[in-house]
Amino acid sequence: MSDNIMNAPHGMNLVVECSDGSAVIGRFDESNGFEVVMHDVDLWESDQGSAEERENWVRSTATYGVAVKERDHRFSARLVERWRPLGDIEKLS
């Protein structure tokens, strides 16, 4: 979704893709325009692999659930490139 992260629904599981190549999947809490707060998250670091590998990780998470690595996670709202509801992601077959 290209909408501002501040408009994301509270409590919804989201996939947040960042401009540095990283991604966060978890339950959206809030954003004040400067910082995003999410809970029960799994993280994809920018050095973990290609964009194709990241998308496969996203689809795997949508299929099998979030492998929680952090209970509370904060990051800069400036990094948000796009966000999508996890429930809208195509599952693995």
Side-chain angles (χ1 to χ4, degrees):
M1 213 169 207
S2 59
D3 198 15
N4 187 311
I5 189 70
M6 290 179 63
N7 297 327
H10 173 79
M12 180 179 274
N13 280 327
L14 301 180
V15 177
V16 179
E17 297 172 17
C18 299
S19 57
D20 66 357
S22 65
V24 180
I25 300 178
R27 191 168 32 86
F28 178 74
D29 187 354
E30 67 177 343
S31 177
N32 60 12
F34 299 101
E35 185 176 63
V36 177
V37 179
M38 295 179 72
H39 302 291
D40 301 325
V41 303
D42 193 0
L43 304 168
W44 177 272
E45 300 297 335
S46 57
D47 62 356
Q48 277 184 252
S50 68
E52 184 177 299
E53 290 170 312
R54 182 178 73 181
E55 187 61 24
N56 189 52
W57 168 76
V58 169
R59 289 184 63 205
S60 177
T61 301
T63 304
Y64 302 113
V66 180
V68 176
K69 293 199 174 81
E70 291 185 23
R71 290 289 173 200
D72 303 303
H73 184 71
R74 298 173 182 270
F75 59 99
S76 173
R78 287 187 6 222
L79 288 174
V80 177
E81 192 168 271
R82 75 175 178 153
W83 62 270
R84 303 177 279 169
L86 184 59
D88 290 354
I89 304 298
E90 181 181 353
K91 314 287 188 275
L92 296 174
S93 4

